[in-house]
Amino acid sequence: MLGLTAGVMGSLVGGLMLGIGLGLVVNNVHAGWVLVLPAAPAGGALGYLLARRLARQLGE
């Protein structure tokens, strides 16, 4: 269950940041790039941390 959660949470966080950031950029608010540029690394990092937690639980 935690493996599925890791993938879904990473995708949701990255997609939400990307969507909101691109919406701001399209409306000529250049501060939206602050959300767009780190969207993929932030989503991937969250998924990675949750996957490490799963691996630690399986090791016990």
Side-chain angles (χ1 to χ4, degrees):
M1 186 65 178
L2 188 58
L4 180 63
T5 303
V8 170
M9 286 300 295
S11 297
L12 284 176
V13 168
L16 188 63
M17 288 175 69
L18 184 67
I20 292 172
L22 284 177
L24 289 171
V25 170
V26 166
N27 287 319
N28 226 8
V29 179
H30 297 294
W33 287 110
V34 173
L35 290 174
V36 172
L37 295 177
L46 181 62
Y48 177 73
L49 291 175
L50 287 171
R52 281 187 54 195
R53 190 169 122 198
L54 170 65
R56 194 175 11 183
Q57 284 181 355
L58 293 177
E60 291 176 355

